[in-house]
Amino acid sequence: METSDIRAEFPFFRKVKSECGQPIVYFDNAATSLKPKCVVDKVSQYYLETSANVHRGVHQLSESATREFEGTRTEIQSLLGANHAEEIVLTSGATHGLNLVALGWARQHLKSGDEILLTEMEHHANIVPWHLLQREKDIQLRFVPVQKDGTLDLSRLESLVSRNTRLASFVMTSNVLGTINPTREIISRLKAINPGIHIVLDGAQAAAHEKLDVCELGCSALTLSAHKMCGPTGVGALYLRQDFRDEFSPVMGGGDMINKVTLEGSTFAPFPSILEPGTPNIAGVIGFGEAIRFLKRVGFSTVQKQEQKLLEKTSQMLAEIKGLRLVGHNTHKSPVFSFEIEGAHSHDVATVLDKYGIAVRSGHHCAQPLMKALGVVSTARASLNFYNSEEEVDRFAEALIKTRELVQ
Amino acid sequence: MSVQNTREVYASLKKIISGSKFSLAKQGECTSSFQTQAKAEAQNRSCGDTLFLHWQVNSENQCRVAYSGDHCALCSASAEVLCEWVNSSIEQFDQSLSVVESVAKSFHTIRLSPDSTPDERINTQIPRLEVIQQCVAHMPSRAECAALPWKAASQLIGERPHD
């Protein structure tokens, strides 16, 4: 698909104008992606034409909703290359997935003195659940450091892992820097020291940009969010390899996750239902399925080709802007750029860029330890996606120059 | 807000910041005859900034409030307006708690209804507060930046040493 054909699927590009009268250049894709019309239509169709609960009803509407809902699970299984659909837990997003691992597995299986390996590059979603667990358990957290160029310092990897390291959980692609971590290499080095280690991957920023294969990666779990993959907000998935999954305990109780309930006690439904209590976000899950079909239609080769083109053009453009400093300058990355403008705060930069119709993020991007490691408090961040165009990069460049004059 | 308005907003903020009298970063804390006796801090959850508000005393037992830290233009200007006001009658600092708290709240009220008129906003005699409020009305997502110094002030009132 050509970029113009892809863009035609997003009403946003035709309909939304900024206050300055020009179309908005949406460069905040690492926060959430735009949604194609087919996804919104699917969500809307569910509410308008089905609107039934899943799994329990015997009427045709419920059957139809269940088919579509479970169809998403199969789409995710196929997207991730998982062996069984029952290895896919539908969640509210990547954060929920990581918390499920902490509460459903680690809380039951870790003992005093056990260690968890993380990195300084993590989103708060992969740090705070472990901090919360530390309030209950005497476990140690170790962190792979980040170097100034925005890559992990893997020279320290072996010294940070031992037989006590029960689990390593880390990000595949940084939401702040776009750094693509050498996931396969890290996993193989960790397993060489501790073959029993469980690997949990935060695929939130990776899943829409590269073909993932959980079996080939050899991970125990992988978490992702639909809304970063052209799908609805409030939905995600957690892949749990069967043997790892079987060690999980339910975290929340309620409807749909039980086998039988008496006043004396409850028995539980098989996986994955046991981890999915209550009425789920049915419309969101159905929309997620459509988003995956849309991504497949576009194709990962098209996604990567366009993102590489945008990465090269934007990198070159940013390097030419005086007074702009890129934070992290490695080249093996997705088109995500954290930057500072000399003498200006990131919020001021983002506020002024917004007035020129450019939407970027500013702040700590829910990664304060990474910010600290890089010696900054906050940055402005432009994150591009496969549907962005080179013309939009040109407009970004013009706006940056005007912004620099105004805020410095 | 148009680009022209943005230009005006930033010009008004820069005017306040460039005439700063109470920024310790600008004056250099060491060269000041004032010494910090108590310090309160407030965090901006969205960008990670920390604003420190200092209760300072000099050898002649004169007191003042000053601020430090790295901040955006709106936060710095808001801190300057706060310090200018409390230092104009520093002996009344403890009594200013309710006003300080309501000013902090007022920015978040403006965030939710940026079209409210100045009359509907908090009615105080604080010089140049209206400039900050107008800036928040122009960029409502930045309400917390403006509120930060006022939040630190209510903490400082509770925490500073009393004779």
Side-chain angles (χ1 to χ4, degrees):
Chain A
M1 274 171 102
E2 293 296 318
T3 305
S4 57
D5 297 331
I6 295 170
R7 288 169 72 86
E9 304 237 11
F10 291 82
F12 176 93
F13 293 119
R14 293 190 299 280
K15 293 190 171 173
V16 183
K17 298 270 188 289
S18 82
E19 289 164 347
C20 68
Q22 288 188 289
I24 291 184
V25 173
Y26 185 77
F27 279 0
D28 195 15
N29 293 286
T32 194
S33 62
L34 298 175
K35 321 301 174 204
K37 186 168 183 299
C38 60
V39 168
V40 180
D41 285 347
K42 201 75 187 168
V43 170
S44 163
Q45 187 190 23
Y46 164 75
Y47 280 123
L48 294 175
E49 297 173 19
T50 312
S51 203
N53 213 326
V54 289
H55 298 148
R56 284 154 294 181
V58 294
H59 52 78
Q60 58 184 334
L61 291 174
S62 179
E63 284 171 354
S64 159
T66 302
R67 252 194 320 274
E68 294 234 50
F69 183 90
E70 290 300 325
T72 296
R73 202 186 302 275
T74 313
E75 288 286 3
I76 299 165
Q77 175 204 351
S78 143
L79 181 79
L80 300 179
N83 286 327
H84 311 284
E86 294 75 20
E87 291 176 317
I88 307 299
V89 181
L90 293 162
T91 63
S92 68
T95 298
H96 181 189
L98 291 163
N99 278 272
L100 258 182
V101 175
L103 297 175
W105 183 83
R107 189 194 234 171
Q108 314 301 323
H109 293 279
L110 296 194
K111 55 183 190 311
S112 182
D114 280 347
E115 294 176 7
I116 292 176
L117 182 68
L118 307 169
T119 81
E120 286 183 342
M121 199 185 276
E122 301 310 310
H123 188 282
H124 292 166
N126 197 20
I127 297 176
V128 183
W130 309 113
H131 282 164
L132 289 173
L133 196 61
Q134 278 188 310
R135 294 160 96 178
E136 298 177 27
K137 295 203 158 258
D138 179 25
I139 52 168
Q140 300 295 314
L141 303 183
R142 305 252 181 261
F143 295 90
V144 179
V146 169
Q147 307 176 105
K148 289 293 171 210
D149 68 352
T151 59
L152 293 174
D153 180 2
L154 293 177
S155 66
R156 303 262 313 272
L157 191 64
E158 278 74 12
S159 67
L160 291 164
V161 65
S162 71
R163 290 271 163 187
N164 294 332
T165 315
R166 304 283 307 280
L167 184 141
S169 184
F170 60 92
V171 67
M172 300 183 77
T173 300
S174 163
N175 68 311
V176 178
L177 307 166
T179 304
I180 298 171
N181 286 324
T183 305
R184 285 168 191 78
E185 180 199 335
I186 296 171
I187 294 174
S188 115
R189 285 170 62 181
L190 292 175
K191 288 194 170 177
I193 294 181
N194 182 348
I197 193 169
H198 283 298
I199 306 290
V200 178
L201 298 176
D202 175 357
Q205 299 290 342
H209 309 277
E210 59 179 304
K211 176 76 184 98
L212 302 178
D213 186 325
V214 287
C215 294
E216 191 245 313
L217 284 165
C219 58
S220 298
L222 188 147
T223 189
L224 49 84
S225 289
H227 74 97
K228 296 190 198 286
M229 304 170 68
C230 299
T233 55
V235 182
L238 175 67
Y239 158 76
L240 292 176
R241 197 181 57 219
Q242 195 170 353
D243 60 308
F244 185 50
R245 182 201 70 183
D246 289 345
E247 295 182 8
F248 271 62
S249 300
V251 172
M252 286 172 65
D256 220 22
M257 54 79 77
I258 54 89
N259 185 31
K260 187 176 181 185
V261 179
T262 63
L263 291 180
E264 288 70 37
S266 308
T267 57
F268 301 107
F271 289 100
S273 301
I274 188 173
L275 297 175
E276 296 177 356
T279 295
N281 180 352
I282 302 166
V285 168
I286 291 173
F288 187 13
E290 188 61 28
I292 296 172
R293 286 188 284 277
F294 170 74
L295 286 174
K296 281 184 178 169
R297 218 162 61 234
V298 174
F300 281 113
S301 63
T302 305
V303 166
Q304 288 181 334
K305 206 171 120 198
Q306 179 64 6
E307 289 186 356
Q308 185 60 31
K309 210 190 287 179
L310 293 168
L311 172 66
E312 285 167 17
K313 183 175 169 85
T314 314
S315 301
Q316 196 182 348
M317 177 277 282
L318 292 174
E320 287 167 6
I321 293 185
K322 264 184 144 180
L324 185 145
R325 186 180 81 85
L326 263 184
V327 178
H329 51 268
N330 67 311
T331 50
H332 184 52
K333 60 184 275 179
S334 63
V336 174
F337 305 89
S338 263
F339 62 94
E340 291 182 310
I341 289 186
E342 202 181 341
H345 190 280
S346 69
H347 271 356
D348 292 325
V349 171
T351 292
V352 178
L353 279 173
D354 176 53
K355 304 310 168 194
Y356 289 109
I358 317 287
V360 301
R361 186 70 172 266
S362 56
H364 54 60
H365 317 296
C366 298
Q368 285 183 300
L370 173 60
M371 294 276 134
K372 191 176 177 198
L374 294 167
V376 291
V377 173
S378 69
T379 63
R381 179 191 68 187
S383 51
L384 285 62
N385 215 340
F386 60 90
Y387 43 66
N388 287 124
S389 68
E390 293 182 77
E391 291 73 29
E392 289 178 316
V393 177
D394 292 333
R395 268 194 60 203
F396 180 39
E398 287 166 26
L400 273 171
I401 292 165
K402 291 180 194 161
T403 298
R404 184 188 60 195
E405 285 161 13
L406 212 151
V407 294
Q408 273 185 335
Chain B
M1 177 169 65
S2 68
V3 170
Q4 183 53 34
N5 283 341
T6 310
R7 207 173 280 280
E8 286 164 13
V9 161
Y10 273 87
S12 65
L13 294 175
K14 279 181 187 173
K15 195 173 163 193
I16 294 174
I17 300 164
S18 63
S20 169
K21 287 181 276 189
F22 303 105
S23 163
L24 296 181
K26 289 211 165 164
Q27 294 180 356
E29 200 170 354
C30 301
T31 59
S32 164
S33 61
F34 283 91
Q35 298 294 317
T36 297
Q37 285 203 342
K39 198 156 71 164
E41 64 178 72
Q43 314 270 349
N44 190 333
R45 292 199 308 143
S46 74
C47 63
D49 283 349
T50 306
L51 179 129
F52 296 97
L53 209 57
H54 302 244
W55 176 259
Q56 297 193 309
V57 180
N58 70 6
S59 54
E60 292 162 25
N61 227 22
Q62 293 170 314
C63 303
R64 73 168 192 175
V65 171
Y67 64 97
S68 67
D70 284 324
H71 320 107
C72 65
L74 178 54
C75 184
S76 299
S78 185
E80 195 63 33
V81 166
L82 164 80
C83 290
E84 188 176 75
W85 173 62
V86 295
N87 286 321
S88 67
S89 53
I90 194 68
E91 65 287 350
Q92 299 290 314
F93 186 47
D94 286 350
Q95 284 75 52
S96 66
L97 181 62
S98 64
V99 178
V100 161
E101 284 177 343
S102 50
V103 171
K105 258 190 211 161
S106 77
F107 296 123
H108 290 285
T109 308
I110 297 169
R111 175 183 193 164
L112 297 177
S113 43
D115 297 331
S116 61
T117 62
D119 287 346
E120 291 169 318
R121 296 172 195 160
I122 182 170
N123 182 18
T124 69
Q125 300 303 308
I126 301 172
R128 300 199 285 184
L129 178 62
E130 203 184 330
V131 177
I132 307 298
Q133 290 181 321
Q134 278 168 358
C135 290
V136 174
H138 280 304
M139 37 196 198
S141 62
R142 303 281 301 280
E144 184 63 14
C145 309
L148 214 58
W150 303 81
K151 287 185 170 176
S154 48
Q155 281 207 32
L156 187 62
I157 290 169
E159 287 172 14
R160 75 174 186 86
H162 291 82
D163 300 329

